[in-house]
Amino acid sequence: MDSSIGGSSFSIQWLPPLLLLLVLTFVSSINASIHLYDHQGFREVGNSYLLSGGSEGIVASSTPGTAISHAHSFIRFENITFWRSKAAADQHSDMGHSTGLIQVVIFEAADRDNIGGSAYGGQRSICCTPDLAKLEGCKQGEVIRIPSATDINWPIVLNVQFSGKSLSTSMANSEVPITKTGMYNLFFISCDPKLKGLVMNGKTLWKNPDGYLPGRMAPLMKFYVYMSLAYVLLCVTWFFQYMRFWKDILQLQHCITVVIALGLFEMILWYFEFENFNRTGTRPVGITTWVVTVGAVRRTVSRLLILSVSMGYGVVRPTLGGLTSKVLLLGITYFVATELLDITEYVGTINDVSGRARLFLVLPDAFLDAFLILWIFTSLSKTLEQLQAKRSSVKLDTYRKFSNSLAVAVIASVVWIGYEVYFKATDPFNERWQSAWIITAFWDILAFGLLCVICYLWAPSQSSQRYAYSDEKGEEFDDEETQSLTRGKPEGDISLAKQDNLEDEEEEDKRE
């Protein structure tokens, strides 16, 4: 069955090695800009055997050339070795000079249609067939390559050959300079049916002018610097108020302090993780696991804080009472789901995780978020009703502002999810990779904005106790509320009315 690389006639067999690789650019580069191949086998795709080598956005060199330089962008091959089966090697004589061809193909996503061809309007094939050799002049048994309209030297095709009956062959260490910004893809392809069962070892280094960090992820490193500064500013402002009015601090404000500290810690850790990635080209499992764990804790605590505020914790009720165990259980479940999802996306190589496995981890996280939103708004509605019934105007106004802010955040989230789906659906080959970082950055900005709103509404002050729960039977009104309720009524009249009521009650008791 023939396969296709570009156009509308893609064969389904092309999806695992090529289309999926191009669509999910994160998958290949999460392992780092130093891609390692440890006894990885070739897969049969149409009339070829293929191994996906990587896919990354690379920014063009500032000073194009072939010399190795830290200011250069390149893809470098180191210690690449191919192994074939003994049965395949025994089919050739010891004197054979070329007894098996492997081709290394590098192309930009925009030139994906320049690899492969189609005979008589049929499905596209990677390797040249007898019919294609007649029509397009390609060499039978090799990858079909059509020169790019902008550069006849692209796509790049490098040949590696077996000789005699040798079981292995090595590719010379080489470097391909990148002089044009784009999304680049690497494939190792063999059109020889006798080379079934090929295995490869070695590594490739993908470097941008500023370091090993993939071009798509590079803006995030600067973004985390700005987010860290924003959290520092918020932390200083909050800490100043916190220390100034520490005698009036509520339990709720302690929880807000923890969330601010976790947010600052997470942003700093992400920056240093990216900086290490950019400098070394690798992502140590321990460091990345620690970063995503702090992020999972921060998201969990943030959501539980919003849920507790919505339930009126410290304002309408002194504790969560019987709901405490349910809230904690939900928090633990959410943390586990988020931690598993983040580890899958960011830690180690995720090429081995199938689409179904990723979907299995995404669904619980999405379900828990939806359940949390429903519980938050249900609790918020009950809290507003209680405050309105008790005519606690200051608290009611604060909760209405919080409710409006939360509604705006939810609407913004839904709109952004729609945009994210549209963005990915209209860019299957990640050609807009330079703006893809915004997808990730938005959620951090939204979380920070909502945290700022909470800090503003429940900021430490001399009047912090006006938000606190009162253990009296009636809600404790502040001075403003009391004045508004008693305005226009002389104090004497009120006391006289109270005295008359007491006398009436005493007379009724005597009669009984």
Side-chain angles (χ1 to χ4, degrees):
M1 179 178 180
D2 289 339
S3 300
S4 158
I5 288 186
S8 60
S9 58
F10 258 71
S11 168
I12 192 169
Q13 289 188 5
W14 262 106
L15 294 179
L18 180 57
L19 181 58
L20 184 61
L21 179 68
L22 295 177
V23 173
L24 301 177
T25 308
F26 286 107
V27 170
S28 61
S29 54
I30 284 300
N31 190 35
S33 283
I34 298 179
H35 297 261
L36 302 177
Y37 317 105
D38 185 13
H39 288 86
Q40 288 186 270
F42 283 58
R43 289 184 291 179
E44 185 174 359
V45 180
N47 62 349
S48 69
Y49 297 102
L50 181 146
L51 175 64
S52 302
S55 177
E56 282 189 21
I58 303 180
V59 179
S61 302
S62 54
T63 53
T66 57
I68 299 176
S69 170
H70 290 292
H72 259 25
S73 300
F74 58 76
I75 299 176
R76 184 187 301 165
F77 299 88
E78 292 187 0
N79 305 321
I80 301 293
T81 303
F82 302 95
W83 299 81
R84 61 181 172 181
S85 64
K86 190 174 185 304
D90 289 341
Q91 296 182 43
H92 304 279
S93 66
D94 293 329
M95 303 301 294
H97 176 67
S98 177
T99 57
L101 176 65
I102 302 167
Q103 294 183 290
V104 182
V105 181
I106 305 173
F107 63 94
E108 190 187 353
D111 295 329
R112 57 187 175 275
D113 291 335
N114 292 51
I115 298 295
S118 174
Y120 309 113
Q123 292 180 329
R124 294 178 64 86
S125 300
I126 306 172
C127 297
C128 186
T129 62
D131 290 337
L132 287 169
K134 295 177 182 178
L135 292 174
E136 299 189 10
C138 58
K139 187 175 181 180
Q140 188 174 347
E142 294 186 3
V143 173
I144 302 171
R145 172 193 176 276
I146 302 172
S148 172
T150 57
D151 189 347
I152 60 173
N153 295 320
W154 283 86
I156 298 290
V157 177
L158 306 175
N159 295 334
V160 182
Q161 296 179 338
F162 286 93
S163 60
K165 290 187 176 182
S166 61
L167 294 177
S168 65
T169 184
S170 297
M171 177 182 179
N173 292 348
S174 58
E175 183 178 293
V176 177
I178 303 299
T179 57
K180 178 184 177 184
T181 300
M183 174 62 66
Y184 288 88
N185 305 277
L186 168 64
F187 291 95
F188 300 93
I189 303 174
S190 174
C191 297
D192 189 346
K194 296 179 182 180
L195 292 181
K196 183 178 182 179
L198 271 174
V199 175
M200 189 184 81
N201 286 339
K203 65 180 179 180
T204 55
L205 287 74
W206 304 54
K207 192 172 182 299
N208 276 284
D210 296 328
Y212 288 104
L213 199 64
R216 178 198 61 259
M217 300 171 67
L220 285 174
M221 188 166 70
K222 295 180 181 179
F223 168 75
Y224 288 128
V225 171
Y226 293 126
M227 284 302 299
S228 297
L229 293 175
Y231 268 100
V232 167
L233 181 61
L234 177 62
C235 189
V236 170
T237 305
W238 180 266
F239 184 74
F240 176 76
Q241 291 292 103
Y242 191 89
M243 295 303 297
R244 185 180 176 189
F245 305 104
W246 66 273
K247 292 183 179 180
D248 299 314
I249 295 297
L250 306 176
Q251 190 67 31
L252 178 62
Q253 291 164 338
H254 291 313
C255 298
I256 296 174
T257 303
V258 172
V259 175
I260 295 174
L262 284 172
L264 175 60
F265 192 38
E266 182 190 5
M267 294 300 106
I268 293 174
L269 283 178
W270 272 120
Y271 168 75
F272 281 110
E273 200 271 343
F274 271 47
E275 194 279 333
N276 178 74
F277 186 8
N278 189 53
R279 180 169 40 85
T280 65
T282 59
R283 303 184 79 173
V285 173
I287 295 177
T288 311
T289 302
W290 175 244
V291 175
V292 299
T293 300
V294 172
V297 171
R298 192 266 305 170
R299 284 193 292 277
T300 301
V301 174
S302 298
R303 281 158 175 75
L304 294 185
L305 172 64
I306 294 174
L307 179 60
S308 299
V309 170
S310 301
M311 289 179 172
Y313 171 66
V315 178
V316 176
R317 58 173 73 187
T319 65
L320 296 179
L323 294 174
T324 303
S325 58
K326 296 180 180 179
V327 171
L328 290 177
L329 179 61
L330 178 62
I332 294 171
T333 305
Y334 186 85
F335 169 76
V336 172
T338 304
E339 177 78 352
L340 290 175
L341 179 60
D342 287 349
I343 286 177
T344 301
E345 290 185 348
Y346 297 108
V347 179
T349 304
I350 62 174
N351 293 353
D352 296 332
V353 180
S354 65
R356 291 183 180 180
R358 286 176 56 80
L359 182 63
F360 177 76
L361 294 173
V362 168
L363 286 178
D365 195 69
F367 173 78
L368 289 171
D369 264 327
F371 180 76
L372 265 168
I373 291 173
L374 180 61
W375 195 359
I376 286 170
F377 277 100
T378 301
S379 302
L380 198 55
S381 176
K382 293 179 181 179
T383 302
L384 288 171
E385 289 177 1
Q386 292 177 10
L387 292 174
Q388 192 168 9
K390 294 177 180 180
R391 294 182 296 178
S392 181
S393 60
V394 174
K395 296 177 184 178
L396 183 61
D397 181 62
T398 300
Y399 265 81
R400 280 176 175 169
K401 291 178 180 178
F402 174 68
S403 179
N404 293 336
S405 301
L406 202 57
V408 170
V410 172
I411 293 173
S413 299
V414 172
V415 171
W416 192 258
I417 289 173
Y419 170 74
E420 186 174 348
V421 171
Y422 168 79
F423 184 89
K424 293 181 178 179
T426 56
D427 186 31
F429 300 104
N430 288 306
E431 294 177 89
R432 297 201 299 267
W433 56 274
Q434 289 175 296
S435 58
W437 67 274
I438 300 175
I439 300 295
T440 302
F442 171 81
W443 299 109
D444 288 321
I445 295 173
L446 182 65
F448 178 77
L450 192 56
L451 180 59
C452 288
V453 170
I454 294 175
C455 290
Y456 171 75
L457 294 177
W458 281 277
S461 65
Q462 289 180 340
S463 57
S464 289
Q465 294 302 322
R466 74 170 58 186
Y467 307 116
Y469 171 79
S470 174
D471 57 359
E472 297 178 3
K473 293 182 180 179
E475 179 70 11
E476 184 185 42
F477 299 125
D478 63 289
D479 294 339
E480 294 178 2
E481 292 171 343
T482 304
Q483 290 175 7
S484 64
L485 291 174
T486 60
R487 187 174 296 136
K489 294 183 179 181
E491 293 182 0
D493 294 343
I494 295 175
S495 60
L496 182 61
K498 288 182 178 179
Q499 185 175 355
D500 292 340
N501 290 336
L502 291 173
E503 292 176 355
D504 292 339
E505 290 176 1
E506 290 177 357
E507 290 179 2
E508 289 178 0
D509 293 339
K510 291 178 181 179
R511 292 171 185 174
E512 292 177 358

Coordinates of all heavy atoms in Angstrom, one line a residue, residues 3-6 14 18 47 105 107 111-119 122-129 132 136 138 142-147 155 157 189 191:
S3 N 2.0 5.3 0.4 CA 1.7 6.3 1.4 C 1.9 7.6 0.8 O 2.5 7.8 -0.2 CB 2.6 6.0 2.6 OG 2.3 4.7 3.1
S4 N 1.6 8.6 1.6 CA 1.7 10.0 1.2 C 2.3 10.9 2.2 O 2.0 10.7 3.4 CB 0.3 10.5 0.8 OG 0.2 11.9 0.8
I5 N 3.0 11.9 1.8 CA 3.6 12.9 2.8 C 2.8 14.2 2.7 O 2.6 14.8 3.7 CB 5.1 13.1 2.5 CG1 5.9 12.0 2.9 CG2 5.6 14.4 3.2 CD1 7.3 12.1 2.8
G6 N 2.3 14.6 1.7 CA 1.6 15.8 1.6 C 0.3 15.7 0.7 O 0.1 14.7 0.1
W14 N 0.5 6.7 7.0 CA 1.5 7.8 7.2 C 1.3 8.5 8.5 O 2.1 9.2 9.1 CB 1.4 8.8 6.1 CG 2.4 8.6 5.0 CD1 2.2 8.1 3.8 CD2 3.8 8.9 5.1 NE1 3.4 8.1 3.1 CE2 4.4 8.5 3.9 CE3 4.6 9.4 6.1 CZ2 5.7 8.7 3.7 CZ3 5.9 9.5 5.9 CH2 6.5 9.2 4.7
L18 N 4.5 10.3 10.5 CA 4.8 11.6 10.0 C 3.8 12.6 10.4 O 4.1 13.6 11.1 CB 4.8 11.5 8.4 CG 5.0 12.9 7.7 CD1 6.4 13.5 8.2 CD2 5.1 12.7 6.2
N47 N 5.8 1.8 1.0 CA 6.8 1.0 0.3 C 8.2 1.4 0.9 O 9.2 1.3 0.2 CB 6.8 1.3 -1.2 CG 7.0 2.8 -1.5 OD1 7.0 3.6 -0.6 ND2 7.2 3.1 -2.8
V105 N 16.8 12.3 5.7 CA 16.0 13.3 5.0 C 15.7 14.4 6.0 O 15.1 14.2 7.1 CB 14.7 12.8 4.4 CG1 14.0 13.9 3.7 CG2 15.1 11.6 3.4
F107 N 13.8 18.2 6.1 CA 13.0 19.1 5.3 C 12.2 20.0 6.2 O 11.9 19.7 7.3 CB 12.0 18.4 4.3 CG 11.0 17.5 5.0 CD1 9.7 18.0 5.3 CD2 11.3 16.2 5.4 CE1 8.8 17.2 5.9 CE2 10.4 15.4 6.0 CZ 9.1 15.9 6.3
D111 N 8.0 22.5 3.0 CA 8.4 21.7 1.8 C 8.0 20.3 1.9 O 8.6 19.4 1.3 CB 9.9 21.9 1.6 CG 10.4 23.3 1.3 OD1 9.6 24.0 0.7 OD2 11.5 23.6 1.8
R112 N 7.0 20.0 2.8 CA 6.7 18.6 3.0 C 6.2 17.9 1.7 O 6.3 16.6 1.6 CB 5.6 18.4 4.1 CG 4.3 19.2 3.8 CD 3.4 19.2 4.9 NE 2.2 20.1 4.7 CZ 2.2 21.4 4.9 NH1 3.2 22.0 5.4 NH2 1.1 22.1 4.7
D113 N 5.6 18.6 0.8 CA 5.1 18.0 -0.5 C 6.3 17.7 -1.4 O 6.1 17.1 -2.5 CB 4.1 18.9 -1.2 CG 2.8 19.0 -0.4 OD1 2.5 18.1 0.3 OD2 2.1 20.0 -0.6
N114 N 7.5 18.1 -1.1 CA 8.7 17.9 -1.9 C 9.3 16.6 -1.7 O 10.3 16.2 -2.3 CB 9.7 19.0 -1.8 CG 9.2 20.3 -2.3 OD1 8.1 20.8 -2.0 ND2 10.0 21.0 -3.1
I115 N 8.8 15.8 -0.7 CA 9.2 14.5 -0.4 C 8.1 13.5 -0.8 O 7.0 13.6 -0.3 CB 9.6 14.2 1.1 CG1 10.7 15.2 1.5 CG2 10.0 12.8 1.3 CD1 12.0 14.9 0.8
G116 N 8.4 12.6 -1.8 CA 7.4 11.7 -2.2 C 6.8 12.1 -3.6 O 7.0 13.2 -4.0
G117 N 6.1 11.2 -4.2 CA 5.5 11.5 -5.5 C 4.3 10.6 -5.7 O 4.1 9.6 -5.0
S118 N 3.5 10.9 -6.8 CA 2.3 10.1 -7.1 C 2.3 9.8 -8.6 O 2.6 10.7 -9.4 CB 1.1 10.9 -6.7 OG -0.1 10.3 -7.1
A119 N 2.0 8.6 -8.9 CA 1.9 8.1 -10.3 C 0.5 8.1 -10.7 O -0.3 7.5 -10.0 CB 2.6 6.8 -10.5
G122 N -2.5 8.8 -8.2 CA -2.8 7.9 -7.1 C -2.2 8.4 -5.8 O -1.8 9.6 -5.7
Q123 N -2.1 7.5 -4.8 CA -1.5 7.9 -3.6 C -0.1 8.2 -3.7 O 0.6 7.6 -4.5 CB -1.8 6.8 -2.6 CG -3.3 6.6 -2.2 CD -3.5 5.5 -1.2 OE1 -2.7 4.5 -1.2 NE2 -4.5 5.6 -0.4
R124 N 0.4 9.1 -2.8 CA 1.8 9.5 -2.9 C 2.7 8.4 -2.2 O 2.3 7.7 -1.3 CB 2.0 10.8 -2.1 CG 1.3 12.0 -2.8 CD 1.5 13.2 -2.0 NE 2.9 13.6 -2.0 CZ 3.6 14.3 -2.9 NH1 2.9 14.8 -4.0 NH2 4.9 14.7 -2.7
S125 N 3.8 8.2 -2.8 CA 4.8 7.2 -2.3 C 6.1 7.9 -1.9 O 6.5 8.9 -2.5 CB 5.1 6.1 -3.4 OG 3.9 5.5 -3.8
I126 N 6.7 7.3 -0.9 CA 8.0 7.9 -0.4 C 9.1 7.5 -1.4 O 9.9 8.3 -1.8 CB 8.3 7.4 1.0 CG1 7.2 7.7 2.0 CG2 9.6 8.1 1.5 CD1 7.4 7.1 3.3
C127 N 9.1 6.2 -1.7 CA 10.2 5.7 -2.5 C 9.8 5.6 -4.0 O 8.6 5.5 -4.3 CB 10.6 4.3 -2.0 SG 11.2 4.2 -0.3
C128 N 10.8 5.8 -4.8 CA 10.6 5.8 -6.3 C 10.2 4.4 -6.8 O 10.9 3.4 -6.5 CB 11.9 6.3 -6.9 SG 11.7 6.5 -8.7
T129 N 9.1 4.3 -7.5 CA 8.7 3.1 -8.1 C 9.0 3.1 -9.6 O 9.4 4.2 -10.2 CB 7.2 2.9 -7.9 OG1 6.5 4.0 -8.6 CG2 6.8 3.0 -6.4
L132 N 7.0 5.8 -11.3 CA 7.5 7.2 -11.0 C 8.8 7.5 -11.6 O 9.1 8.6 -11.9 CB 7.6 7.3 -9.5 CG 6.2 7.5 -8.7 CD1 6.4 7.3 -7.2 CD2 5.6 8.8 -9.1
E136 N 8.8 11.0 -13.3 CA 9.5 12.1 -12.7 C 11.0 12.0 -12.7 O 11.7 12.9 -12.2 CB 9.0 12.1 -11.2 CG 7.5 12.4 -11.1 CD 7.1 12.7 -9.6 OE1 8.0 12.9 -8.8 OE2 5.9 12.7 -9.4
C138 N 13.0 10.0 -11.2 CA 13.7 9.7 -9.9 C 14.4 8.3 -10.1 O 14.2 7.6 -11.0 CB 12.7 9.6 -8.8 SG 11.3 8.4 -9.0
E142 N 15.2 4.7 -4.3 CA 15.6 5.8 -3.4 C 14.4 6.7 -3.1 O 13.4 6.7 -3.7 CB 16.7 6.7 -4.1 CG 18.0 5.9 -4.3 CD 19.1 6.8 -4.9 OE1 18.8 8.0 -5.1 OE2 20.2 6.3 -5.1
V143 N 14.6 7.6 -2.1 CA 13.5 8.5 -1.7 C 13.3 9.6 -2.8 O 14.3 10.1 -3.4 CB 13.9 9.3 -0.4 CG1 12.9 10.4 -0.1 CG2 14.0 8.3 0.7
I144 N 12.0 9.9 -3.1 CA 11.7 10.9 -4.1 C 11.9 12.3 -3.5 O 11.3 12.6 -2.5 CB 10.3 10.7 -4.6 CG1 10.0 9.3 -5.2 CG2 9.9 11.8 -5.6 CD1 8.6 9.0 -5.5
R145 N 12.8 13.0 -4.1 CA 13.1 14.4 -3.6 C 12.9 15.4 -4.7 O 13.5 15.3 -5.8 CB 14.5 14.5 -3.1 CG 15.0 15.9 -2.8 CD 16.5 15.9 -2.6 NE 17.0 17.3 -2.3 CZ 17.2 18.2 -3.2 NH1 17.1 17.9 -4.5 NH2 17.7 19.4 -2.9
I146 N 12.0 16.4 -4.5 CA 11.8 17.5 -5.4 C 12.4 18.7 -4.9 O 12.1 19.1 -3.7 CB 10.3 17.7 -5.7 CG1 9.6 16.4 -6.2 CG2 10.0 18.9 -6.6 CD1 8.1 16.5 -6.3
P147 N 13.3 19.4 -5.6 CA 14.0 20.6 -5.0 C 13.0 21.7 -4.6 O 12.0 21.9 -5.3 CB 14.9 21.1 -6.2 CG 15.1 19.8 -7.0 CD 13.8 19.0 -6.9
P155 N 14.9 19.9 0.0 CA 15.3 19.2 1.2 C 16.6 18.5 1.1 O 17.1 18.2 0.1 CB 14.2 18.1 1.4 CG 13.0 18.6 0.5 CD 13.7 19.3 -0.6
V157 N 19.1 15.4 1.6 CA 19.1 14.0 1.6 C 20.6 13.5 1.7 O 21.4 13.8 0.8 CB 18.4 13.4 0.4 CG1 18.5 11.9 0.4 CG2 17.0 13.9 0.3
I189 N 15.2 6.9 6.4 CA 14.3 6.1 5.5 C 15.2 5.1 4.7 O 16.3 5.5 4.2 CB 13.6 7.1 4.5 CG1 12.7 8.1 5.3 CG2 12.7 6.2 3.6 CD1 12.1 9.1 4.4
C191 N 14.5 2.4 1.4 CA 13.6 1.9 0.4 C 13.9 0.4 0.0 O 13.3 -0.1 -0.9 CB 13.6 2.8 -0.8 SG 13.1 4.5 -0.6

